[in-house]
Amino acid sequence: MFKSYIFWVKTASVFQVLTGLIHSLSLFRDMQGQNETEEKMIDLLTGYKMDMGAGFHHSMMDLFLALSSCFTFLYLLGGINNFYLLKRLEPTALKGYLLINIVIFGLCFVVMLFLTFLPPIVLTGIVLILLVISYLSAPSKAV
């Protein structure tokens, strides 16, 4: 079971979807400051709308939510695609697709490592490790 690349791809896919779903929960909660300084910062993040040219006026919170949504969508897309392609691609083609996953989610991990906090770092790291194991256990030649 643990030697089968199919097991590892499915496990990686489950963790990708779980990461996306867990992260989506953060999109539906309001930020609350713990002190007066944090309250002021949150008020500026949500209330102050900058002129971004071409008639766009958005707050930093709008930009934060847009990027945060994209993180959720990236993980959902990765997990769903891996499930879908696992049944439709030959093992050697899937191995190439897994390498693309490793590059994309590896870059995502580096960004998370330097710019976020522990939960997204851990979840992204788990996904990356599972993708690497999937890639290493997938056959290199047609079976």
Side-chain angles (χ1 to χ4, degrees):
M1 174 165 110
F2 292 119
K3 291 183 180 181
S4 170
Y5 78 97
I6 293 172
F7 169 79
W8 292 111
V9 173
K10 285 182 179 179
T11 304
S13 301
V14 166
F15 268 89
Q16 284 174 307
V17 170
L18 271 175
T19 299
L21 292 176
I22 290 169
H23 190 268
S24 71
L25 297 175
S26 69
L27 302 174
F28 301 107
R29 79 182 255 275
D30 290 330
M31 292 177 59
Q32 295 180 355
Q34 302 298 318
N35 56 48
E36 187 178 334
T37 304
E38 289 179 5
E39 293 284 340
K40 286 181 190 177
M41 182 184 71
I42 291 169
D43 187 45
L44 284 172
L45 282 172
T46 57
Y48 181 72
K49 300 204 184 268
M50 297 178 289
D51 183 2
M52 299 182 178
F56 290 96
H57 295 82
H58 293 284
S59 68
M60 287 303 289
M61 185 56 76
D62 294 339
L63 296 174
F64 177 78
L65 283 174
L67 290 173
S68 195
S69 298
C70 289
F71 179 82
T72 296
F73 296 142
L74 171 70
Y75 274 83
L76 292 176
L77 178 68
I80 291 167
N81 273 347
N82 287 344
F83 271 125
Y84 179 79
L85 293 175
L86 181 61
K87 297 180 189 247
R88 286 165 178 75
L89 288 181
E90 294 294 320
T92 53
L94 183 65
K95 188 166 185 161
Y97 181 71
L98 288 171
L99 184 59
I100 294 169
N101 269 255
I102 290 168
V103 170
I104 298 300
F105 290 100
L107 291 171
C108 187
F109 177 70
V110 170
V111 171
M112 295 298 131
L113 192 59
F114 288 105
L115 299 176
T116 64
F117 49 97
L118 201 54
I121 292 170
V122 170
L123 290 170
T124 303
I126 290 171
V127 166
L128 182 60
I129 289 168
L130 291 170
L131 287 170
V132 169
I133 294 171
S134 300
Y135 177 80
L136 294 175
S137 62
S140 297
K141 296 179 182 169
V143 179

